[in-house]
Amino acid sequence: MNTDRTPKIIGTVWGLLILNTLGSAGAKTIVPLPRSLIQMVTMGALVTAFALALAVNLRLRIRTSAYLFLLTLLLVMSVISSMHLESGFGALFRCFRLALFVGTLWLVSRWWDGGQTFVRHHIRMYLAVLATVAAGLVASPGAALPDLYGGRLVGALWPLTPPQIGQYAAVIIGLTVLLLLGRRTDRTSAAVVIVPSLVLLALTHTRTATLGLLVGLALAIGSLILTSGAARRFFTWSVTIGTVAAVGFASALQTWFLRGQSQENFSSLTGRAKVWHALLAEPRSTTEYLFGAGLGDKSFDGLPIDNSWLAVFNEQGVVGVVLVAAIIIVLGGVALLRPPSLSRACAIFLISYCAIASYTEAGLGDASPYLLHLAVAASLLATPDRATPPPGPRLPRRHVPRWAQRSEVI
């Protein structure tokens, strides 16, 4: 294990990174918050996180990490593509933000030791975010379930969209279930996290988060089946209950899944496919094809792209897509090569969730919650430092008489 105990301030750093990735666009809040104020708070959180991480790691001790190395290459490519200013000066500002984000991850990588420390930080911080969502729902149900979003749950105190809330809920549900199976938490503590998060996830009607949670948990628990009796029992009960629910509540589940959409709207992924086709049909120069147009707001012609791979292709080109794919492949490959363990199962869940969500959500090419999820996975897959054995007690030197020290003459 790493001989350096993780300082408590690292939890604060992680919370500030999460605050930075909450974003500034979303639903209308109960108390109107100017977007400039929100951006100042989120950017200030990132600067503070970097400063605190640097203060606690003045010697700049870091761990070698393939994930962070590839992320640094992606940062370099982002700077190269943004220098043309096709996306305006905002692209360079986003590069600066990404540089602080990646730099902070490098600084905290010193404490990546394959343990569940960062998993617990992740759960606590996102649980705090969901607590604000629940508080907004209680304070003003109308603002938290607006007609503008089809009655789906949004953040009424901090501007959060339904996909964001669904993502946070799904991730902490999956991680808490795995900690419970690994006996790293008790049932009461797990219920406090899982039950409210499930309610919030259901109110968001987020299909991507639900699918990512189910598939990610299935893969993660599957990696534990051969070594954990609790995992085998949970898997059996989950399949049984899921089958019964699918048969008995098929109509209700279909209604929840369709969210009142027409078949045409559903087949086009709520209009996403039209944006994707237009983006791919856009003529590009060789430079734009290879390196993209620079970091932007993940939109095309004013419409959200909502696909990590196409967003990266648009902003960082084919080279960026290759680097993002390498991140997923490397992390997934390392996870498969590790022996069965709770840390490996948590990493598999996070990697698979991000891979599934990347189809309908953007974020793998810029500072985002998805990069934080993958950073937690990288911390779980890190090889613990070999502890230096403590020196043994010094034996007292035996007193040798002076006559005995003389050489014997024959």
Side-chain angles (χ1 to χ4, degrees):
M1 295 296 291
N2 194 340
T3 57
D4 292 332
R5 186 177 180 181
T6 305
K8 292 183 179 180
I9 198 173
I10 295 300
T12 303
V13 171
W14 203 255
L16 291 171
L17 287 176
I18 288 176
L19 175 59
N20 173 257
T21 58
L22 293 182
S24 58
K28 295 181 179 180
T29 55
I30 298 174
V31 178
L33 299 174
R35 186 173 182 182
S36 58
L37 174 63
I38 298 175
Q39 290 176 332
M40 183 174 64
V41 171
T42 54
M43 192 61 196
L46 178 58
V47 174
T48 305
F50 179 81
L52 290 177
L54 183 61
V56 79
N57 191 6
L58 285 175
R59 295 184 179 181
L60 301 182
R61 293 175 58 186
I62 60 176
R63 290 187 61 99
T64 56
S65 169
Y67 169 67
L68 292 179
F69 175 73
L70 291 170
L71 206 56
T72 304
L73 288 181
L74 185 64
L75 168 63
V76 173
M77 297 309 305
S78 300
V79 174
I80 293 175
S81 62
S82 300
M83 290 297 291
H84 300 287
L85 299 180
E86 293 185 24
S87 299
F89 286 98
L92 295 179
F93 176 79
R94 293 184 179 92
C95 288
F96 172 71
R97 174 178 176 243
L98 181 59
L100 284 181
F101 184 86
V102 175
T104 306
L105 291 180
W106 272 114
L107 290 172
V108 301
S109 68
R110 169 183 176 180
W111 293 280
W112 290 2
D113 58 2
Q116 289 88 45
T117 301
F118 285 88
V119 171
R120 297 184 184 278
H121 290 325
H122 217 54
I123 294 174
R124 291 191 191 106
M125 299 308 169
Y126 278 123
L127 184 62
V129 174
L130 294 181
T132 66
V133 176
L137 177 61
V138 173
S140 179
L145 299 168
D147 293 334
L148 180 63
Y149 284 86
R152 300 171 65 190
L153 180 65
V154 300
L157 297 181
W158 185 276
L160 297 174
T161 62
Q164 284 181 281
I165 299 171
Q167 176 197 162
Y168 307 154
V171 167
I172 67 173
I173 289 170
L175 291 176
T176 305
V177 167
L178 293 173
L179 288 181
L180 181 61
L181 293 179
R183 298 180 180 179
R184 295 298 191 276
T185 187
D186 57 86
R187 295 183 180 181
T188 302
S189 300
V192 170
V193 176
I194 295 173
V195 175
S197 299
L198 278 173
V199 174
L200 297 180
L201 175 60
L203 291 176
T204 62
H205 290 263
T206 308
R207 296 179 292 235
T208 300
T210 305
L211 181 62
L213 171 63
L214 296 177
V215 175
L217 268 183
L219 294 175
I221 295 174
S223 69
L224 292 173
I225 284 181
L226 296 179
T227 58
S228 172
R232 289 191 292 270
R233 290 190 295 271
F234 182 86
F235 184 81
T236 302
W237 278 106
S238 297
V239 171
T240 302
I241 295 174
T243 303
V244 173
V247 174
F249 302 96
S251 178
L253 291 174
Q254 184 178 10
T255 301
W256 181 90
F257 193 78
L258 290 176
R259 300 196 308 234
Q261 295 176 337
S262 64
Q263 188 65 31
E264 180 183 359
N265 197 17
F266 176 73
S267 61
S268 65
L269 296 174
T270 321
R272 290 185 178 96
K274 297 178 181 178
V275 179
W276 298 349
H277 291 321
L279 186 150
L280 292 174
E282 179 76 4
R284 301 172 187 274
S285 64
T286 303
T287 302
E288 290 175 336
Y289 180 77
L290 291 176
F291 304 112
L295 291 184
D297 58 358
K298 313 298 177 286
S299 66
F300 181 76
D301 285 343
L303 297 174
I305 297 175
D306 286 339
N307 181 288
S308 284
W309 305 100
L310 292 180
V312 171
F313 172 70
N314 185 56
E315 296 182 355
Q316 291 136 313
V318 173
V319 176
V321 172
V322 171
L323 289 174
V324 172
I327 289 174
I328 299 294
I329 293 172
V330 168
L331 287 176
V334 172
L336 292 177
L337 294 176
R338 289 284 189 270
S341 67
L342 176 61
S343 294
R344 177 197 186 214
C346 291
I348 289 175
F349 168 75
L350 291 170
I351 297 167
S352 57
Y353 181 90
C354 291
I356 292 170
S358 67
Y359 185 65
T360 57
E361 296 291 336
L364 285 181
D366 203 349
S368 69
Y370 293 105
L371 293 188
L372 287 180
H373 301 334
L374 294 178
V376 174
S379 75
L380 291 164
L381 297 174
T383 304
D385 292 336
R386 292 184 178 180
T388 304
R394 300 184 67 178
L395 298 177
R397 296 182 61 182
R398 293 180 60 185
H399 176 68
V400 181
R402 185 173 297 178
W403 60 267
Q405 298 178 9
R406 298 174 181 173
S407 300
E408 183 177 0
V409 179
I410 301 179

